Amino acid sequence: MSRLVLLGPPGAGKGTQAKLLSERLGVPAISTGDIFRANVARGTELGRTAQRYMDAGEYVPDAVTNAMVRDRLAQPDAAEGFILDGYPRTTDQVRELDEMLAGSGAKLDRVLEITADPEELVRRLTRRAGIEGRSDDTEDVVRTRQQVYLEQTAPLVSTYAERGLLRSVDGLGEVPAVTARLLDALASDAG
Ligand code: AMP
């Protein structure tokens, strides 16, 4: 039960929860956003490509993102499991992830959706901008990211529901309460 995807709108708490679940479950949390930001900070070619999309609140092109995830999942620490935070985000990425896993004879165990009220998320993210200084947490860019999520990523919820993999969890409340809900959702067999 350790190949997991976290889905949810920007600000729902995927990053925080992925790290906590990673400690609990002993598998790496893999955040595509963190990998892109690390590349921007190091000034790599990948970082330069990604930055203009990230600053605009748009998705980095699938070909770039898929190749990066393929490399990361091939690392030995991901062989027994992983928590994907922020990937897949498009139907093309879903298809690619299916292929990557099929190639190593593995399959996803669960997709956990963290839900939250959009207006609360705008408040959370603009507050985070003051703390973490992320350039894509300004109100305008946050609203673009929400719109992109609705158009490109929200449809993945039903894709994974149809496969019987989806569990949805309320993301409002204290961090430990949300972690407990996620662990409950992992333990439950019935949808
Ligand atoms: P995040 O930290 O998950 O909010 O991601 C920050 C930004 O990185 C996003 O707004 C996108 O520009 C880019 N990004 C992260 N993950 C993906 C992905 N799976 N596909 C495309 N772009 C991504």
Side-chain angles (χ1 to χ4, degrees), residues 10 14 31-34 36-37 53-54 57-62 65 85-89 93 128 134 136 145:
K14 293 187 301 295
S31 157
T32 42
D34 281 354
F36 284 133
R37 279 184 290 278
Y53 297 99
M54 297 172 79
E58 305 284 347
Y59 287 165
V60 177
D62 285 329
T65 307
D85 157 20
Y87 183 93
R89 268 171 147 119
Q93 292 177 17
R128 181 172 79 182
R134 266 180 63 167
D136 60 349
R145 287 160 62 203

Coordinates of all heavy atoms in Angstrom, one line a residue, residues 10 14 31-34 36-37 53-54 57-62 65 85-89 93 128 134 136 145, ligand 1:
P10 N -4.1 23.8 -5.4 CA -3.0 24.5 -4.8 C -3.4 25.0 -3.4 O -4.4 25.7 -3.3 CB -2.7 25.7 -5.8 CG -3.5 25.4 -7.0 CD -4.5 24.4 -6.7
K14 N -1.0 19.5 0.2 CA -0.3 18.3 -0.3 C 1.1 18.1 0.1 O 1.5 17.0 0.5 CB -0.4 18.3 -1.9 CG -1.7 18.2 -2.5 CD -1.7 18.0 -4.0 CE -1.0 19.1 -4.7 NZ -1.6 20.4 -4.6
S31 N 7.9 15.5 -4.9 CA 7.2 16.7 -5.3 C 7.8 17.3 -6.6 O 8.9 17.7 -6.6 CB 7.3 17.7 -4.2 OG 7.0 19.0 -4.7
T32 N 7.0 17.3 -7.6 CA 7.5 17.8 -8.9 C 7.7 19.3 -8.7 O 8.7 19.9 -9.3 CB 6.5 17.6 -10.1 OG1 5.2 17.8 -9.6 CG2 6.6 16.2 -10.6
G33 N 6.9 20.0 -8.0 CA 7.1 21.5 -7.7 C 8.4 21.7 -7.0 O 9.2 22.6 -7.4
D34 N 8.8 20.9 -6.0 CA 10.0 21.0 -5.3 C 11.2 20.8 -6.2 O 12.2 21.5 -6.2 CB 10.1 20.0 -4.1 CG 9.4 20.5 -2.9 OD1 8.9 21.7 -2.9 OD2 9.3 19.7 -1.9
F36 N 11.3 21.2 -9.5 CA 11.4 22.3 -10.4 C 12.0 23.5 -9.7 O 13.0 24.1 -10.2 CB 10.0 22.8 -10.9 CG 9.5 21.9 -12.0 CD1 8.2 21.4 -12.0 CD2 10.3 21.5 -13.1 CE1 7.6 20.6 -13.0 CE2 9.8 20.7 -14.1 CZ 8.4 20.3 -14.1
R37 N 11.6 23.8 -8.4 CA 12.1 24.9 -7.7 C 13.6 24.7 -7.4 O 14.4 25.7 -7.5 CB 11.4 25.1 -6.4 CG 10.1 25.9 -6.6 CD 9.3 26.2 -5.3 NE 8.8 25.1 -4.6 CZ 7.6 24.5 -5.0 NH1 6.8 25.1 -5.9 NH2 7.2 23.4 -4.4
Y53 N 6.9 29.1 -16.8 CA 5.6 28.6 -16.6 C 5.2 28.7 -15.2 O 4.0 29.1 -14.9 CB 5.6 27.1 -17.0 CG 5.9 26.9 -18.5 CD1 7.1 26.5 -18.9 CD2 4.9 27.1 -19.5 CE1 7.4 26.3 -20.2 CE2 5.2 26.9 -20.8 CZ 6.5 26.5 -21.2 OH 6.7 26.3 -22.5
M54 N 6.1 28.4 -14.3 CA 5.7 28.5 -12.8 C 5.4 29.9 -12.4 O 4.4 30.1 -11.7 CB 6.9 28.0 -12.0 CG 7.3 26.6 -12.3 SD 8.8 26.1 -11.5 CE 8.3 25.8 -9.8
G57 N 2.0 30.7 -13.3 CA 0.9 29.8 -12.7 C 0.5 28.7 -13.7 O -0.6 28.1 -13.5
E58 N 1.2 28.6 -14.8 CA 0.8 27.5 -15.8 C 1.6 26.3 -15.6 O 2.6 26.3 -14.9 CB 1.1 28.1 -17.2 CG 0.5 29.4 -17.6 CD -0.9 29.3 -17.9 OE1 -1.4 28.2 -18.1 OE2 -1.6 30.4 -18.0
Y59 N 1.1 25.2 -16.2 CA 1.8 23.9 -16.0 C 3.1 23.9 -17.0 O 3.0 24.4 -18.1 CB 0.9 22.7 -16.4 CG -0.1 22.4 -15.3 CD1 -1.2 21.6 -15.6 CD2 0.0 23.0 -14.0 CE1 -2.1 21.3 -14.6 CE2 -0.9 22.7 -13.0 CZ -2.0 21.9 -13.3 OH -2.9 21.6 -12.4
V60 N 4.1 23.3 -16.5 CA 5.3 23.0 -17.3 C 4.8 22.0 -18.3 O 4.0 21.1 -18.0 CB 6.4 22.5 -16.4 CG1 7.7 22.1 -17.2 CG2 6.8 23.6 -15.3
P61 N 5.3 22.0 -19.6 CA 4.8 21.1 -20.6 C 5.0 19.6 -20.2 O 6.0 19.3 -19.5 CB 5.7 21.4 -21.8 CG 6.1 22.8 -21.6 CD 6.2 23.0 -20.2
D62 N 4.1 18.8 -20.6 CA 4.1 17.4 -20.2 C 5.4 16.7 -20.5 O 5.8 15.9 -19.7 CB 2.9 16.7 -20.9 CG 1.5 17.0 -20.2 OD1 1.5 17.3 -19.0 OD2 0.5 17.0 -21.0
T65 N 7.9 17.5 -17.9 CA 7.6 17.0 -16.6 C 7.7 15.4 -16.5 O 8.2 14.8 -15.6 CB 6.2 17.4 -16.2 OG1 6.1 18.9 -16.4 CG2 5.8 17.1 -14.8
D85 N 3.5 14.0 -5.0 CA 2.9 15.2 -4.6 C 2.9 16.2 -5.8 O 4.0 16.7 -6.1 CB 3.6 15.7 -3.4 CG 3.4 17.2 -3.2 OD1 2.5 17.8 -3.7 OD2 4.3 17.8 -2.5
G86 N 1.8 16.3 -6.5 CA 1.7 17.3 -7.6 C 2.0 16.6 -8.9 O 2.2 17.3 -9.9
Y87 N 1.9 15.3 -9.0 CA 2.0 14.6 -10.3 C 1.2 13.3 -10.1 O 1.4 12.7 -9.0 CB 3.5 14.3 -10.6 CG 3.7 13.5 -11.9 CD1 3.9 14.2 -13.1 CD2 3.5 12.1 -12.0 CE1 4.1 13.6 -14.3 CE2 3.7 11.5 -13.2 CZ 4.0 12.2 -14.3 OH 4.2 11.5 -15.5
P88 N 0.4 12.9 -11.1 CA 0.1 13.5 -12.3 C -0.9 14.7 -12.2 O -1.7 14.7 -11.3 CB -0.5 12.4 -13.2 CG -1.1 11.5 -12.2 CD -0.2 11.6 -11.0
R89 N -0.8 15.6 -13.1 CA -1.7 16.8 -13.1 C -2.5 16.9 -14.4 O -3.3 17.8 -14.6 CB -0.9 18.0 -12.9 CG -0.8 18.5 -11.5 CD 0.2 19.6 -11.4 NE -0.1 20.6 -10.5 CZ 0.8 20.9 -9.4 NH1 1.9 20.2 -9.3 NH2 0.5 21.8 -8.6
Q93 N -0.2 13.0 -18.4 CA 0.7 12.5 -17.3 C 0.2 11.2 -16.6 O 0.9 10.4 -16.2 CB 0.9 13.6 -16.2 CG 1.7 14.8 -16.7 CD 1.8 16.0 -15.7 OE1 1.6 15.8 -14.5 NE2 2.1 17.2 -16.2
R128 N 1.1 32.4 2.8 CA 2.3 31.6 2.6 C 3.4 32.4 1.8 O 4.6 32.4 2.1 CB 2.1 30.3 1.9 CG 3.3 29.5 1.7 CD 3.0 28.1 1.1 NE 2.7 28.1 -0.4 CZ 2.4 27.1 -1.1 NH1 2.2 25.9 -0.5 NH2 2.2 27.2 -2.4
R134 N 7.4 32.5 -2.0 CA 7.2 31.9 -3.4 C 6.6 32.9 -4.3 O 5.6 33.5 -4.0 CB 6.3 30.7 -3.3 CG 7.1 29.4 -3.1 CD 6.1 28.2 -3.0 NE 5.3 28.0 -4.2 CZ 4.7 26.8 -4.5 NH1 4.8 25.9 -3.6 NH2 4.0 26.7 -5.6
D136 N 5.1 32.5 -6.9 CA 3.8 32.2 -7.6 C 2.6 32.2 -6.6 O 1.6 31.6 -6.8 CB 3.9 30.9 -8.3 CG 4.2 29.7 -7.4 OD1 4.6 29.9 -6.3 OD2 4.1 28.5 -7.9
R145 N -3.6 29.6 -11.0 CA -3.3 28.2 -10.7 C -4.5 27.4 -10.3 O -4.7 26.2 -10.7 CB -2.3 28.1 -9.5 CG -0.9 28.5 -9.9 CD 0.0 29.0 -8.8 NE 0.2 27.9 -7.8 CZ 0.6 28.1 -6.6 NH1 0.7 29.3 -6.1 NH2 0.8 27.1 -5.8
Ligands
AMP1 P1 3.5 22.9 -6.7 O1 4.7 23.1 -5.8 O2 3.0 21.5 -6.8 O3 2.4 23.9 -6.4 O4 4.0 23.3 -8.2 C1 4.5 24.6 -8.5 C2 4.5 24.8 -10.0 O5 5.4 23.8 -10.6 C3 3.2 24.6 -10.7 O6 2.3 25.7 -10.7 C4 3.6 24.2 -12.1 O7 4.1 25.4 -12.8 C5 4.8 23.4 -11.9 N1 4.5 22.0 -11.8 C6 4.5 21.2 -10.6 N2 4.1 19.9 -10.9 C7 3.7 19.9 -12.2 C8 3.2 18.9 -13.1 N3 2.9 17.7 -12.6 N4 2.9 19.3 -14.3 C9 3.2 20.5 -14.8 N5 3.7 21.5 -14.1 C10 4.0 21.2 -12.7

